Amino acid sequence: MPTSTTTVEHVFATLDAAVETLAKERGTSLVEALTEIGDVLFQERFNESGINDLTKKRMRDVVDMVPKMDAATIQKAFHFALVKVMRQYVQPHHQMTPDSVGNLMVYIVQRLQFERENLRMLDLTVGTGHLLIKLCEGIPNVVKDVYGVDVDETLLSVCRSYANLCKQPMELFAQDSLQPLLIDPVDLAISDLPVGYYPDDDTSASFQTKATEGHSFSHHLLLEQSLNMVKDGGYGLFVVPNHLFTSKEAPTLRSYLQKTVHILGLLELPKNMFTSSQHAKSILLVRKKGAGVQAPKEALLVKLPSSKHREAFLQIIRKINEWFAENEEALKPSPIK
């Protein structure tokens, strides 16, 4: 089966044409149209009723293409189509996590000592599922159960289609992630935390990281809720704003984290990845405290240079590897089940 760049571009062009045509006829968003195209790819059929001849042709092109392509090519092309439509999505905080950040998170998770085929993983801001699926694919022999939560049902529909194409089973919940969740505790919580304020002060009142006055930071509450869902000895891996520990509400957050987790690492992402320093982010790695859970010798604190500076970047990767080797004892699986 062909897998060249040219082939992926051809599949992407076919999907893109179908998405544009379908969205125009239906009067829906491109995201909603892509979800329907994703279902067509998965089922290899479509309902011809109620659509015009041009849309039928575009949909037929998609269906006819599927048997001629391997799954990896279709997944890659769908991913490119997803990146394109998400750039036009009306909610900026729902933009997808960049692949370079996801790859680094995979690199970290691969070095944590999870038991084979026993990992339960959760993302409370799953969105399109891009980050969650990337992590699942990075540790395929470890994952057992996968859960995603999001209040945006349109994005959850995209996530479901994308997960089907990637053959990644997951259970999805359409709800406010800060409301009670019917999910048993997990081994690993991940999230690219959306930065902003949470408007429901009544719900915020039950959280330790609530604001001292006014609306609370949604990223603080989501961090706490994620850790509420983690077993003792489990891990949290989050994309957080660089100002997480310097904002006016930071003392409350620091106090909560000191009681709840061991901070294992904070990796500041390259500044050139972001439109401004105000939007710069880091990756936070924590482990929930519990009996038999050790703190690391010291936390891993690094500033990542641009990958364009190859030697400097490789030097940081070596430092990360050395940290994991030096803290192997502290990262052993927890005796708590």
Side-chain angles (χ1 to χ4, degrees):
M1 291 278 184
T3 56
S4 68
T5 302
T6 304
T7 304
V8 173
E9 289 173 351
H10 167 71
V11 176
F12 166 74
T14 303
L15 296 179
D16 190 47
V19 168
E20 294 276 358
T21 305
L22 184 63
K24 185 175 181 180
E25 178 169 355
R26 293 263 202 259
T28 61
S29 69
L30 294 176
V31 174
E32 291 169 301
L34 181 62
T35 300
E36 188 169 341
I37 297 300
D39 292 338
V40 170
L41 281 170
F42 181 63
Q43 298 169 5
E44 297 186 39
R45 66 176 188 274
F46 68 97
N47 186 352
E48 295 193 14
S49 62
I51 55 176
N52 64 32
D53 290 342
L54 177 59
T55 305
K56 286 178 186 176
K57 179 186 181 305
R58 296 283 188 248
M59 301 288 262
R60 240 180 248 118
D61 289 343
V62 171
V63 172
D64 293 344
M65 172 184 69
V66 175
K68 303 172 186 175
M69 301 295 164
D70 63 277
T73 298
I74 291 174
Q75 290 166 20
K76 189 173 291 187
F78 187 86
H79 168 69
F80 289 147
L82 183 55
V83 170
K84 179 181 177 181
V85 302
M86 285 302 293
R87 286 185 183 136
Q88 301 173 43
Y89 199 62
V90 294
Q91 301 182 52
H93 63 282
H94 271 135
Q95 292 301 311
M96 290 163 58
T97 307
D99 274 337
S100 55
V101 177
N103 291 337
L104 183 57
M105 293 174 78
V106 168
Y107 190 78
I108 291 169
V109 170
Q110 287 173 339
R111 279 148 186 79
L112 299 177
Q113 300 175 32
F114 293 117
E115 294 180 2
R116 189 176 179 84
E117 297 181 355
N118 200 40
L119 177 70
R120 292 167 50 79
M121 182 158 50
L122 167 69
D123 185 347
L124 289 185
T125 58
V126 68
T128 65
H130 172 61
L131 179 60
L132 186 57
I133 290 169
K134 178 174 279 291
L135 284 169
C136 289
E137 291 177 339
I139 49 173
N141 298 321
V142 175
V143 175
K144 179 185 177 186
D145 299 312
V146 181
Y147 305 94
V149 186
D150 206 290
V151 72
D152 190 320
E153 294 189 25
T154 299
L155 293 185
L156 274 187
S157 296
V158 177
C159 179
R160 189 173 289 107
S161 292
Y162 193 22
N164 284 339
L165 287 176
C166 295
K167 297 180 173 58
Q168 176 56 60
M170 62 174 64
E171 192 169 350
L172 299 175
F173 298 83
Q175 69 163 87
D176 180 344
S177 298
L178 296 176
Q179 296 295 329
L181 297 161
L182 297 176
I183 302 172
D184 289 333
V186 300
D187 305 287
L188 172 64
I190 68 159
S191 181
D192 185 343
L193 296 172
V195 178
Y197 290 96
Y198 185 65
D200 186 346
D201 294 338
D202 290 337
T203 296
S204 302
S206 64
F207 286 82
Q208 296 182 53
T209 55
K210 64 181 181 292
T212 51
E213 60 180 359
H215 291 329
S216 300
F217 283 133
S218 55
H219 45 293
H220 287 197
L221 302 178
L222 285 164
L223 181 58
E224 180 178 345
Q225 181 77 321
S226 295
L227 293 173
N228 287 342
M229 301 303 299
V230 174
K231 301 174 183 176
D232 287 353
Y235 292 90
L237 184 63
F238 308 102
V239 180
V240 300
N242 278 2
H243 56 71
L244 184 71
F245 294 117
T246 57
S247 69
K248 64 177 183 178
E249 297 297 337
T252 302
L253 177 67
R254 283 199 299 269
S255 174
Y256 164 75
L257 290 175
Q258 285 169 359
K259 291 183 294 185
T260 310
V261 300
H262 297 299
I263 293 180
L264 303 185
L266 188 65
L267 293 76
E268 187 176 319
L269 296 167
K271 291 287 198 300
N272 65 350
M273 289 182 61
F274 306 97
T275 53
S276 73
S277 59
Q278 288 182 326
H279 297 117
K281 296 189 176 185
S282 299
I283 294 174
L284 174 67
L285 175 64
V286 300
R287 189 175 191 188
K288 196 165 182 178
K289 291 181 177 179
V293 178
Q294 300 180 33
K297 295 177 181 177
E298 60 180 24
L300 173 65
L301 303 175
V302 296
K303 288 187 177 183
L304 287 157
S306 168
S307 57
K308 295 177 183 177
H309 302 128
R310 181 174 172 77
E311 187 50 47
F313 185 80
L314 290 176
Q315 186 174 346
I316 293 296
I317 294 299
R318 285 193 290 271
K319 181 176 179 179
I320 293 172
N321 288 337
E322 288 169 3
W323 183 89
F324 275 100
E326 291 169 0
N327 289 279
E328 186 174 357
E329 189 68 26
L331 298 174
K332 280 186 175 178
S334 169
I336 305 164
K337 297 293 183 184

